Amino acid sequence: MTTTLLDVRAVSVRYGRRLVFHGVTFELPEGRCLGVIGPNGAGKTTLLRAIVGLLHPFTGDVRIRGRVPRDALAQVGVAYFAGEATLPGFARAAAWGTLGNGDAITTDQRRLRALSRGTRQLIGLRTVLGRQPLGLVVLDEPWEGLDPDAARWLTSAIELKRDRGAGIVLASHRFQDLAGLCDAYLFILPGESLWVHAHEIAPIGPVTPALLMEAFDRRRGGTPLPRAVL
Amino acid sequence: MSALRETVRFFGVVRPVPRLTRIAFGGITLASSLALALSDASGPRLLLPVLVLQTFAVSTGFVTYARRGHFDVLLTGGVSREQVAIVYWLLVALPGISCWGALAFLEMAVRGHTSLLTAGTLTAMAGVSTIPWATTVPLTRFAGAIGWLLLLVMVAGLAPVDTVTTHLWRRTAGEPSWFTVVAFLLFPTRLVGEPATGNWPAIITVLTVVLTGMGSSVWWISRTSLALETGQ
């Protein structure tokens, strides 16, 4: 029997007068992976920050093992990373790497801003994924900037955490990374959000990037949105 | 690992006070120590540069960095935001407080007494360590210190200088007026070296503002939404 780890009910978030999204509802059991997909500005990052308690929903409720995020963080163990741009560039890479579980993940003494984008991304990911215990992993565009080896390491690390019972929430534009890895998908679209289970996308066999993209396009009205429209 | 240790360790990696500011504190302390040892300069006068630098050092702007995601690892690590805010304030105030302690110790060692541990000095140090920090919490670095300096310049431009000096420098002990209290709030550095006697209204006013500012800032940090404001 699976236990509900994350319960998001009718969550809406506003920035001032602007409604970012509304009515997002889903449950994530332990040991399952959710992929959050949506166009730029749809509110993927905002949703992830609301899940880990950094941001308060305007309406609705987020619960991790039945508790509000701030009360649950210490008990559950949460790995949250929003991308290399969130790392303080003045911090030393070696020192930053010890903030996960105290163990060094790199001996590089340079400041983070002196490293390549991919290296910063990898250090940020390894730091948060090194936390023990780890009940919930929330990663925002985690594959961005990673080289193929690092990307493969990340995918296997996520699978390992999931198989050990952690709940995983991933926001990404990269269908090829999410397809096959996630058990369910949340499409955040302007004005609505849709929860789709993997077997609804691919009744037989794994979800492929093409099937996932087709499902996403179908849910948002059948026609792909034009690219690079501002 | 305890939450407190984790918080202190985090801010040991993500240092809230820039290196240049720490070097400046070291330089000022060294120069003031030499002046104390080699001249008859008074402790309160030598503490003034430390207090001015302290207003800038504590004007760190917590929420700006939190919204850039710099503190995400800490804030999602199960440490309460109230504790993070208080530890953060202690660490940004520590360099200035250390310099003050060093000067007080040195004055005591050289002259056999110190004027840097009076109630007025404690209040002034509390004021400059807290009020600019609390003001800057939702703003960018140095905003509180710059705002305070602008206010001082504006007050000096609006109020006749002899009125200010009458109430501040030549006030009647035990009979402080409302203006004296307001002036001490704007110029807490004038409390340095002053005893408690005759200064209670000013001391109580400054400490009330200190506690109110500290409490409201910690409360605000603990409840504000930290939307990400950085590019990805």
Side-chain angles (χ1 to χ4, degrees):
Chain A
M1 192 179 99
T2 54
T3 315
T4 298
L5 173 69
L6 177 64
D7 189 3
V8 175
R9 291 211 176 276
V11 165
S12 305
V13 173
R14 278 181 181 276
Y15 290 152
R17 289 181 181 177
R18 190 171 83 84
L19 183 68
V20 183
F21 57 77
H22 73 92
V24 172
T25 299
F26 66 87
E27 278 185 20
L28 181 71
E30 290 175 345
R32 295 294 167 89
C33 179
L34 171 70
V36 180
I37 299 173
N40 289 331
K44 301 186 295 295
T45 297
T46 301
L47 174 64
L48 265 50
R49 288 180 86 75
I51 287 172
V52 296
L54 290 171
L55 202 144
H56 308 298
F58 180 67
T59 59
D61 200 20
V62 176
R63 298 275 164 170
I64 302 172
R65 286 207 184 122
R67 299 178 175 196
V68 293
R70 282 188 198 173
D71 294 341
L73 289 172
Q75 276 78 38
V76 175
V78 174
Y80 170 70
F81 185 56
E84 52 84 27
T86 63
L87 298 178
F90 53 85
R92 303 274 177 190
W96 182 269
T98 64
L99 294 175
N101 60 3
D103 296 336
I105 61 168
T106 175
T107 54
D108 197 328
Q109 291 297 330
R110 285 179 291 173
R111 294 189 190 279
L112 286 167
R113 63 170 167 251
L115 306 177
S116 71
R117 183 178 167 219
T119 308
R120 282 200 303 270
Q121 181 79 358
L122 188 57
I123 287 174
L125 287 164
R126 287 188 63 186
T127 301
V128 296
L129 290 173
R131 276 190 171 155
Q132 295 290 340
L134 202 51
L136 178 63
V137 177
V138 181
L139 302 176
D140 195 352
E141 303 287 358
W143 287 277
E144 285 296 312
L146 295 183
D147 63 31
D149 285 344
R152 276 197 293 270
W153 165 80
L154 175 61
T155 303
S156 62
I158 290 169
E159 286 171 338
L160 186 66
K161 303 289 180 195
R162 182 194 62 191
D163 295 345
R164 286 181 178 172
I168 315 281
V169 181
L170 306 168
S172 180
H173 293 293
R174 295 161 52 119
F175 292 99
Q176 71 271 28
D177 293 319
L178 293 179
L181 180 63
C182 298
D183 303 288
Y185 298 89
L186 181 72
F187 298 148
I188 300 188
L189 303 166
E192 62 175 340
S193 65
L194 297 163
W195 165 271
V196 185
H197 202 276
H199 67 68
E200 292 175 51
I201 298 171
I204 303 166
V207 174
T208 63
L211 285 173
L212 183 56
M213 188 178 290
E214 185 189 318
F216 179 63
D217 287 339
R218 198 166 56 242
R219 294 316 193 276
R220 69 180 180 191
T223 51
L225 290 176
R227 298 265 177 210
V229 173
L230 295 176
Chain B
M1 186 187 302
S2 74
L4 179 63
R5 253 183 65 194
E6 192 176 335
T7 310
V8 172
R9 201 165 68 88
F10 179 87
F11 286 121
V13 174
V14 184
R15 290 178 183 257
V17 180
R19 189 161 165 260
L20 273 176
T21 308
R22 298 198 301 271
I23 291 171
F25 270 120
I28 286 177
T29 308
L30 186 66
S32 300
S33 302
L34 287 173
L36 260 178
L38 303 174
S39 74
D40 60 352
S42 69
R45 273 182 56 198
L46 294 172
L47 188 66
L48 286 180
V50 174
L51 295 178
V52 172
L53 186 57
Q54 181 77 331
T55 62
F56 283 89
V58 300
S59 299
T60 47
F62 182 92
V63 171
T64 302
Y65 296 100
R67 286 188 175 151
R68 287 178 190 169
H70 290 187
F71 305 151
D72 283 357
V73 168
L74 181 64
L75 296 173
T76 57
V79 183
S80 79
R81 283 204 203 178
E82 289 86 350
Q83 181 176 307
V84 170
I86 291 167
V87 170
Y88 183 82
W89 171 75
L90 282 171
L91 292 176
V92 296
L94 191 63
I97 291 172
S98 302
C99 290
W100 165 48
L103 287 178
F105 177 79
L106 197 69
E107 190 180 36
M108 181 76 86
V110 171
R111 299 186 181 154
H113 70 279
T114 181
S115 51
L116 295 178
L117 293 175
T118 63
T121 311
L122 284 164
T123 307
M125 185 48 94
V128 299
S129 299
T130 308
I131 299 168
W133 177 80
T135 311
T136 312
V137 157
L139 305 171
T140 53
R141 187 180 285 277
F142 299 143
I146 291 168
W148 197 343
L149 284 181
L150 279 173
L151 200 60
L152 294 186
V153 171
M154 283 170 64
V155 168
L158 291 171
V161 174
D162 57 343
T163 308
V164 177
T165 53
T166 299
H167 284 273
L168 270 181
W169 281 263
R170 298 177 195 166
R171 72 193 187 288
T172 308
E175 296 175 15
S177 68
W178 67 270
F179 187 85
T180 310
V181 170
V182 172
F184 270 122
L185 201 53
L186 286 172
F187 299 85
T189 50
R190 293 302 305 171
L191 280 169
V192 175
E194 298 285 337
T197 313
N199 292 306
W200 280 116
I203 288 171
I204 288 170
T205 305
V206 172
L207 289 181
T208 303
V209 173
V210 163
L211 291 174
T212 307
M214 187 74 189
S216 55
S217 295
V218 171
W219 182 86
W220 195 74
I221 286 173
S222 72
R223 275 155 184 80
T224 192
S225 276
L226 299 171
L228 198 60
E229 290 181 351
T230 186
Q232 289 183 62

